[in-house]
Amino acid sequence: MTESVATAQQFNSEVPDSEFWTVHQGDARKLGDLLRRAALVAGREGQPFVQTTITSPPYATLVDYGSENQIGFGQSYDDYLESCRSVFLEVNRWTLDAGSMWVVADSLLERRRKGGAPSRLVPLPFELARQAEAVGWTLREVIVWRKDRTRPWSHHGKLRNGFEYVLFFVKSNSFTFEVDRLRETNGLKSWWVKYPERHNPWGMTPDNVWEIPIPVQGSWDNAAFRHACPFPPELVRRMVRLSTNDGDVVFDPFAGTGAVVAEATRQGRRGLGVELNPKYVSLFREGAPTMGALPSESSSVGAMTQRLLELRMLKYPKDLAKQIVRGGFTTTHVRAVTVEVKSVNYKPSRTAYGRIECSVVVADDLSELDRARLSKLMLEVGAKPPLSKYGLEAKCDIVSIAEASSKFVGREIAVYTKGRTWHADFSIDGDRLEDWVRKTGVPTVVPVISPLLVRQSLEESL
Ligand SMILES: C[S@@+](CC[C@H](N)C(=O)[O-])C[C@H]1O[C@@H](n2cnc3c(N)ncnc32)[C@H](O)[C@@H]1O
């Protein structure tokens, strides 16, 4: 336990605007003055301005954070909950409609109960959620933060506690939640090569179990004075990236040594914190451990994303040919399909990943009637799964063998046979396309031809 320190509980109103986005010493039950001033500095006088709040309230009445009149330690459990509720209410008032609040908390064991009743697990995160909902927040998601190390407590009937809860609250339906920013392409199963259309090129939607190690204290910390539970920067980073944009205000009313403010600042947001214990505030100001260069929001497109996009664009014409054959045509009629990439949308997007142009190359003796039938079929199959699921804008037409060849004069083109659109068999000059198609005769599987050259092995990742 650290020594108790007396604290001035009013926020220092002398702080100049230029130094405002930092951790302030003060009491989270008296946020009014600070938040009014913050709204003014943020250019939104008297109006909501906080985009998200990321915080962990004191651990019920169990942990002494070393200041007099702190929330939690020294209070009754009911008073503690009431104090947290008053903080949640004030935060809600100053939060933008699209805003949110993240609360990190853990359950606890109530021992020595009356009449020798068994120790009881208190679901503190959900009791805090009840307080938050009572003052206008809506609980929207619960994330399990899986930790590598925990407090060394053990008790009969308890397993080693390996996680904490992260509660995500929203103020309205228009809340910001940029899930694309947390997608990852690591860990794709080997079948991504054959089935690129089943993978978002930016990776899977992240799940709600986050494995994040606790930081090793010491690198920035004064060894003689440590905080009991600093947030790991990675935990804060995920919440900031999900729920805020550049320049937004990120608030923490129980700031401790300021991990939220530091990481929010590093991400190009405006971080604001309040902490009762002046020693923690000084520690933040001396160290500001995680401040540094701003990483760019628009991280460059990874090799895996690029490859998944290419594979999608090459597989589309193969599936188009397959649907055409299912619709009654044979490879005697359809001799190849060409595909050209017209544009790629390099931003995670819920609309199209890009635009392609496909040409179905038909035999010279295909009748006008059959051409018309094929054209109608192509429209029909393009509007239905599997093709409609590719997320591509595809413009498709029908061309003769000679027309196909003339499109690629002077360009090198890759030829994908036997349906292996992830690995080109060979490439040829566009001028030789007509020769090649005629010489090959009737294929068993319609070949795909494209200026896009991909040679991806099934076994190896990128
Ligand atoms: C669970 S810790 C937060 C740690 C923080 N997330 C970090 O990364 O360092 C809770 C903090 O709330 C602070 N606290 C307790 N009562 C407070 C009050 N009335 N106003 C502001 N902070 C308070 C404690 O001093 C403690 O640092």
Side-chain angles (χ1 to χ4, degrees):
M1 193 190 300
T2 51
E3 90 255 35
S4 247
V5 288
T7 54
Q9 290 171 12
Q10 289 304 329
F11 140 74
N12 171 12
S13 56
E14 305 299 308
V15 185
D17 285 7
S18 57
E19 291 166 27
F20 193 77
W21 303 109
T22 183
V23 176
H24 298 265
Q25 195 275 321
D27 189 328
R29 286 160 294 199
K30 300 173 183 168
L31 292 174
D33 286 349
L34 176 83
L35 297 184
R36 246 187 307 283
R37 168 80 188 284
L40 191 67
V41 179
R44 291 185 54 87
E45 186 175 0
Q47 296 174 62
F49 67 98
V50 175
Q51 173 57 33
T52 203
T53 291
I54 300 175
T55 197
S56 67
Y59 187 35
T61 57
L62 295 183
V63 177
D64 181 0
Y65 296 96
S67 30
E68 282 171 12
N69 197 26
Q70 60 191 298
I71 290 180
F73 195 77
Q75 283 187 307
S76 73
Y77 185 66
D78 286 345
D79 287 349
Y80 158 77
L81 287 180
E82 175 55 37
S83 298
C84 291
R85 180 208 287 243
S86 74
V87 177
F88 297 152
L89 171 64
E90 194 67 7
V91 168
N92 187 272
R93 274 193 195 140
W94 291 98
T95 299
L96 295 158
D97 263 2
S100 50
M101 177 172 79
W102 303 84
V103 174
V104 180
D106 203 356
S107 56
L108 58 100
L109 205 59
E110 183 189 353
R111 302 197 216 179
R112 288 184 282 279
R113 297 176 63 217
K114 283 195 193 119
S119 299
R120 169 180 168 264
L121 187 86
V122 181
L124 179 60
F126 298 99
E127 297 205 348
L128 290 172
R130 226 158 25 90
Q131 304 305 320
E133 294 211 302
V135 295
W137 291 104
T138 300
L139 181 62
R140 193 69 175 74
E141 174 61 299
V142 177
I143 292 156
V144 167
W145 166 25
R146 178 89 171 92
K147 305 195 278 191
D148 56 338
R149 287 176 290 123
T150 49
R151 290 167 193 273
W153 291 351
S154 74
H155 194 263
H156 180 62
K158 277 284 289 161
L159 298 176
R160 193 161 51 82
N161 189 13
F163 73 93
E164 278 194 42
Y165 297 82
V166 180
L167 310 183
F168 177 61
F169 298 91
V170 296
K171 184 162 171 176
S172 78
N173 256 329
S174 61
F175 63 93
T176 302
F177 199 72
E178 297 292 341
V179 76
D180 287 332
R181 293 186 186 148
L182 292 200
R183 288 183 190 278
E184 281 199 3
T185 52
N186 297 340
L188 289 184
K189 301 278 185 294
S190 56
W191 47 272
W192 66 271
V193 177
K194 283 192 178 178
Y195 301 99
E197 75 281 16
R198 297 189 194 169
H199 297 278
N200 184 307
W202 280 268
M204 280 195 294
T205 305
D207 72 14
N208 52 9
V209 178
W210 294 356
E211 271 187 53
I212 302 175
I214 305 186
V216 180
Q217 297 201 44
S219 49
W220 74 84
D221 207 353
N222 172 344
F225 188 81
R226 297 180 168 199
H227 197 282
C229 42
F231 280 150
E234 173 61 20
L235 180 70
V236 180
R237 191 186 77 92
R238 290 192 193 186
M239 299 185 248
V240 166
R241 287 178 64 74
L242 274 173
S243 59
T244 69
N245 290 303
D246 275 357
D248 283 348
V249 174
V250 177
F251 181 51
D252 183 355
F254 300 108
T257 44
V260 169
V261 175
E263 186 56 23
T265 308
R266 207 173 76 86
Q267 297 289 327
R269 278 56 168 176
R270 286 174 289 176
L272 180 66
V274 169
E275 166 58 47
L276 190 59
N277 191 326
K279 288 194 177 180
Y280 294 143
V281 178
S282 318
L283 211 56
F284 169 79
R285 297 209 173 167
E286 285 157 21
T290 50
M291 286 198 186
L294 299 183
S296 156
E297 189 70 73
S298 56
S299 59
S300 61
V301 173
M304 181 63 95
T305 299
Q306 171 88 29
R307 181 51 47 94
L308 279 163
L309 286 166
E310 290 167 349
L311 292 179
R312 249 179 211 249
M313 293 182 173
L314 286 169
K315 193 174 171 189
Y316 186 100
K318 165 183 152 176
D319 265 354
L320 173 64
K322 216 165 160 183
Q323 298 306 315
I324 291 173
V325 169
R326 282 211 180 124
F329 289 85
T330 67
T331 50
T332 329
H333 307 121
V334 176
R335 307 295 284 275
V337 184
T338 68
V339 60
E340 285 200 75
V341 178
K342 290 297 171 187
S343 68
V344 182
N345 186 357
Y346 280 121
K347 281 211 163 132
S349 156
R350 288 178 194 89
T351 56
Y353 295 120
R355 253 181 342 105
I356 53 173
E357 273 182 20
C358 294
S359 293
V360 176
V361 185
V362 295
D364 295 335
D365 57 359
L366 192 72
S367 70
E368 280 305 312
L369 196 66
D370 276 344
R371 269 191 175 237
R373 206 161 58 79
L374 176 58
S375 180
K376 185 162 166 271
L377 178 64
M378 280 162 57
L379 277 179
E380 281 167 16
V381 297
K384 286 194 300 210
L387 296 179
S388 60
K389 295 276 184 201
Y390 271 74
L392 295 173
E393 273 175 41
K395 195 168 145 227
C396 302
D397 63 0
I398 302 170
V399 296
S400 68
I401 299 170
E403 280 166 342
S405 207
S406 66
K407 276 177 41 159
F408 297 113
V409 173
R411 293 158 75 190
E412 175 137 326
I413 45 176
V415 180
Y416 301 83
T417 66
K418 303 190 194 92
R420 301 188 323 156
T421 47
W422 60 90
H423 195 281
D425 293 280
F426 53 89
S427 37
I428 53 174
D429 288 342
D431 321 38
R432 292 192 43 229
L433 179 59
E434 182 165 2
D435 270 4
W436 181 79
V437 173
R438 294 196 188 286
K439 223 170 45 212
T440 309
V442 176
T444 34
V445 180
V446 178
V448 169
I449 290 159
S450 177
L452 182 59
L453 173 69
V454 168
R455 290 214 166 102
Q456 173 63 47
S457 104
L458 280 182
E459 291 77 34
E460 286 164 43
S461 241
L462 287 172

